[in-house]
């Protein structure tokens, strides 16, 4: 499966905007309260990329495959389970700073950009091997 990176969002290609079925719309139950729509549930669990992070990925020639995105998403889940707010995710030759509650990659850097850097304003680190 290929993924499509849109500024600010990451959608699987099969779920491009407008391609969702009518189950995406919020429905009112018999009690009158709205249930959570499919799209909003998908958005809460989907890894997002800020404009800044998307620019950094492009500038530094970093391409993420669906497997890497799954690994990053799993790392965010682990950080969230420990109560993290801002996490450094280290992969083989890249580092990502992620806002855990928002599931948003804030910035990204490659191996050469990581050298001699100090990472501040993080409360956790997840290392993906």
């Amino acid at each position: 499966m290929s993924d499509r990176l849109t500024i600010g969002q990451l959608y699987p290609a099969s779920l491009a905007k407008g391609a969702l079925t009518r189950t995406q719309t919020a429905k009112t139950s018999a009690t009158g309260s709205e249930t959570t729509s499919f799209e909003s549930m998908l958005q809460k669990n989907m890894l997002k990329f800020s404009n800044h992070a998307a620019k950094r990925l492009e500038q530094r020639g970093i391409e993420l495959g669906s497997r890497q995105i799954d690994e990053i998403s799993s790392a965010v889940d682990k950080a969230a389970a420990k109560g993290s707010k801002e996490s450094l995710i280290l992969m083989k030759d890249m580092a990502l700073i992620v806002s855990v509650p928002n599931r948003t990659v804030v910035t990204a850097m490659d191996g050469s950009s990581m050298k001699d850097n100090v990472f501040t304003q993080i409360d956790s680190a997840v290392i993906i091997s």
Side-chain angles (χ1 to χ4, degrees):
M1 165 168 51
S2 67
D3 292 322
R4 179 174 57 108
L5 181 65
T6 306
I7 301 298
Q9 294 291 325
L10 176 73
Y11 295 98
S14 61
L15 294 177
K17 278 223 183 267
L20 298 175
T21 63
R22 65 180 192 188
T23 58
Q24 80 184 51
T25 58
K27 295 184 176 150
T28 306
S29 66
T31 61
S33 64
E34 286 190 10
T35 58
T36 306
S37 69
F38 173 75
E39 185 175 17
S40 66
M41 286 180 8
L42 181 66
Q43 290 296 328
K44 287 179 184 176
N45 294 320
M46 190 66 69
L47 187 65
K48 302 173 206 76
F49 290 81
S50 70
N51 290 334
H52 176 80
K55 286 178 189 175
R56 292 296 172 259
L57 288 168
E58 185 178 331
Q59 287 173 346
R60 294 171 174 152
I62 301 171
E63 293 185 17
L64 298 173
S66 59
R67 181 172 179 225
Q68 289 173 309
I69 291 171
D70 289 343
E71 289 174 340
I72 295 165
S73 185
S74 177
V76 172
D77 292 339
K78 290 176 185 176
K82 297 288 186 176
S84 299
K85 302 290 183 224
E86 297 288 325
S87 187
L88 169 66
I89 297 179
L90 293 171
M91 293 181 76
K92 295 173 186 166
D93 60 342
M94 79 176 93
L96 307 165
I97 303 289
V98 178
S99 170
V100 176
N102 300 328
R103 298 186 61 82
T104 303
V105 176
V106 178
T107 195
M109 59 196 72
D110 58 5
S112 61
S113 300
M114 285 190 299
K115 292 185 181 191
D116 298 324
N117 256 333
V118 175
F119 297 97
T120 60
Q121 298 182 358
I122 60 169
D123 59 14
S124 62
V126 181
I127 300 168
I128 301 172
S129 55

